[in-house]
Structure formats: C-alpha cells, structure tokens
Amino acid sequence: MTATAPAAAPGLGTLYVYGITAAGVRAPRTTGVDGAPVGLLTESGLCAAVSPAPERPRARRRDLMAHQAVLDELAAQGPVLPMRFAVLTPEPDALRAQLRSEGDHLRRQLVEIDGCVEMNVKGTMVSDCLAELVRRDENLRSLALRTRRRPGYEANVRLGEALAQAVRREARRAARDVLDRLTPLAVRTAQGPLDDERVLSTSFLVRAADEPRFRREAAARARACGDRLALGVTGPLPCYSFVEARFAPAGR
C-alpha cells in the first residue's frame, strides 16, 4: 500500500476522488479541481486518483474540465472507473478500506470496460414531417379538413393534439429504429431519462475499435430520420453509465 503523491498522504482530510484504475499507472500531470495537484492512492492492486478536496466543490466550467482532463489522462493508460463530479471521501483511510472491501467488484468492472468507450445518443422530436403525416393519415386529413371548414378554438385544440400525438408517435418509431441499428454495435447499453420532447436517451458501451463504425451508422440514421427525430451523438466519454454505484466514497 503506497501513496504516490502528497495529495494522497494521510492527515490531509477530505479527498476529492476522480476515478479508480489498476495499480501501476502514472499520476496525472494535469492539475485537478480547484487547481490542486492530483495523486494516486494505491491499495490492493487498485489506484484512486485523488486531490485535496476544495472547501465547497462547485460545478464551474474550469473545474468540470479539470475533472475530465484527469480522467482522460488516466484513460490513455488503461481502463478507468470514472467518478461523477464532486465525489468526496472523508479521509485516506476510508478510501483505502473501500478499495480493499470492494476490490474484486472493482477489478471485474475494469475488465468489463477495458478497451471500451461510452457513446451517448439523444433524440428529440421535430415536426418537419407534419405535411407528410397529414397526407398519408386519413384520420388526420379528415380532422384537418373539418377544422378548415369549421374553425374554432376547440377544433384547433383537437387538431393540435392529434398532430402532436402523431409527431411523437413518429419520433418514437424513429428512435426504435435507431436503437435497432446501433445496439448490435455495442457491448452494453444503458437507458437515460426521457421526457415529452426527448424520446431517445441511451448510452452505448462501444469497443474503441468499433467507434468509427458506430459513428457512421449513427450519422446514417440521423439522415434517414431527420424529419422526425433530431439525433445527437456525444463521445467518446468515460464509461460513467457502466460503472455500478456499489462503490461510492463516503460523503459528497
């Protein structure tokens, strides 16, 4: 058990935790959150990248970027289990104890994500297909014709609701098609939050070698369903969505 930088030394109190990786990696050269030096706390064949915790971690852009930069430098050396922003542990000994108790679980996760990246795909509804929907849907066409002949508040509301439902239905159908095409290119998937406008939010664990193919297919889907679904792809990202929350340093 060693601490490879002053940031990991005992007696410094609360530590900010960036991620967990296998022992033997180099300490990141980039500075961490609040400009603090980043060190490695090593225990049971695992390393935690840490720095002295700021008094009040705040999600400022520079600190979010510093958090990401530390993870990027670690990921360049091998798989890393990323922590979300502002995960803290009260003292080095508490973190060492968790690395010991959760060691097997953490090592299994490192193996599972080795050589992989996370790609996030989101899709929101667009209404460019309204004219086409009315043209091919007899019920919508009939409702639009009646509203034109006898306009009024209630008629407009009924037509608006019917059109909104049709747009949402088409967007969801397009989202299913995107998932059907992209899921076979991934090792695993994780569902994200949806709402009235966002009908697709999925993270894909993709082998790094397959990332170009994944991007090409996502671009093809974006072109094919652009009148129904606005598709956005973010990545490569640390594998946040595929790290189980069983390991959580005490305190936030």
Side-chain angles (χ1 to χ4, degrees):
M1 176 186 67
T2 60
T4 60
L12 289 182
T14 304
L15 297 176
Y16 184 105
V17 187
Y18 299 87
I20 309 298
T21 187
V25 300
R26 299 182 306 277
R29 295 181 179 179
T30 184
T31 55
V33 169
D34 208 31
V38 179
L40 299 176
L41 187 149
T42 304
E43 173 67 50
S44 302
L46 295 167
C47 279
V50 298
S51 65
E55 186 175 344
R56 289 186 178 180
R58 291 181 292 174
R60 298 174 295 189
R61 184 174 183 272
R62 68 184 182 190
D63 284 338
L64 291 169
M65 292 180 66
H67 181 97
Q68 181 66 39
V70 171
L71 290 173
D72 287 344
E73 194 168 338
L74 291 171
Q77 302 180 61
V80 56
L81 306 179
M83 297 294 115
R84 300 284 181 179
F85 183 82
V87 170
L88 309 178
T89 188
E91 58 183 18
D93 286 345
L95 182 53
R96 289 188 181 99
Q98 287 193 299
L99 290 175
R100 285 195 299 270
S101 63
E102 299 292 340
D104 290 343
H105 178 64
L106 296 170
R107 280 185 286 272
R108 280 196 298 271
Q109 291 189 80
L110 285 169
V111 171
E112 289 171 0
I113 67 169
D114 190 12
C116 295
V117 296
E118 178 172 332
M119 303 295 292
N120 181 260
V121 180
K122 290 183 172 63
T124 55
M125 295 189 304
V126 295
S127 55
D128 291 355
C129 60
L130 276 176
E132 175 64 17
L133 286 174
V134 173
R135 186 188 68 78
R136 72 170 190 251
D137 188 306
E138 184 177 348
N139 291 330
L140 282 177
R141 192 165 60 251
S142 176
L143 183 57
L145 182 61
R146 290 200 303 272
T147 303
R148 191 180 306 118
R149 288 173 176 171
R150 300 186 63 180
Y153 175 76
E154 291 186 1
N156 288 334
V157 169
R158 285 195 298 271
L159 178 60
E161 289 177 345
L163 289 171
Q165 290 174 2
V167 168
R168 187 174 296 109
R169 183 171 60 248
E170 287 298 308
R172 287 173 175 167
R173 184 175 298 155
R176 288 194 296 271
D177 178 63
V178 171
L179 286 175
D180 288 345
R181 299 298 186 96
L182 294 182
T183 298
L185 305 179
V187 178
R188 289 165 56 194
T189 63
Q191 176 67 51
L194 304 176
D195 55 36
D196 288 343
E197 296 295 323
R198 180 177 294 168
V199 296
L200 174 62
S201 179
T202 303
S203 290
F204 298 81
L205 185 66
V206 178
R207 298 201 180 280
D210 293 333
E211 182 192 340
R213 183 183 174 196
F214 184 93
R215 286 187 178 279
R216 288 195 298 271
E217 184 59 39
R221 291 303 93 210
R223 291 190 296 271
C225 65
D227 62 336
R228 296 167 291 157
L229 189 70
L231 210 60
V233 179
T234 306
L237 301 168
C239 302
Y240 287 110
S241 302
F242 303 96
V243 176
E244 296 179 20
R246 179 174 163 185
F247 175 82
R252 277 188 180 272

